[in-house]
């Protein structure tokens, strides 16, 4: 799940850049992609934090 979330964040970032660079963006689509990016980022961040904390506890 973590790698899937990270890959989705990367893909969404590239799509947002591509959509907005020409100036005639579909801003509803951009907002939808930003919302999805934030959800995937939060899920990845939660998992990564949880994993890092467990590594320190095991040491």
């Amino acid at each position: 799940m973590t790698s899937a979330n990270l890959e989705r964040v990367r893909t969404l970032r590239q799509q947002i850049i591509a959509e907005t660079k020409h100036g005639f963006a579909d801003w509803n689509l951009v907002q939808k992609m930003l919302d999805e990016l934030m959800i995937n980022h939060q899920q990845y961040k939660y998992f990564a934090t949880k994993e890092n904390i467990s590594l320190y506890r095991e040491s």
Side-chain angles (χ1 to χ4, degrees):
M1 178 168 163
T2 302
S3 61
N5 288 115
L6 186 56
E7 187 60 37
R8 188 66 185 142
V9 166
R10 289 178 180 152
T11 302
L12 285 164
R13 181 180 173 275
Q14 291 170 348
Q15 288 175 332
I16 291 167
I17 290 168
E19 182 66 28
T20 58
K21 74 178 179 181
H22 54 74
F24 299 102
D26 176 353
W27 293 108
N28 290 325
L29 175 62
V30 171
Q31 185 61 53
K32 184 178 175 183
M33 288 189 288
L34 284 169
D35 291 343
E36 188 178 344
L37 184 141
M38 292 306 296
I39 290 167
N40 280 279
H41 180 268
Q42 285 298 107
Q43 290 173 347
Y44 175 77
K45 185 177 167 184
Y46 172 76
F47 180 82
T49 302
K50 187 174 128 184
E51 285 297 305
N52 285 332
I53 288 173
S54 69
L55 288 174
Y56 285 112
R57 287 183 183 161
E58 292 173 5
S59 299

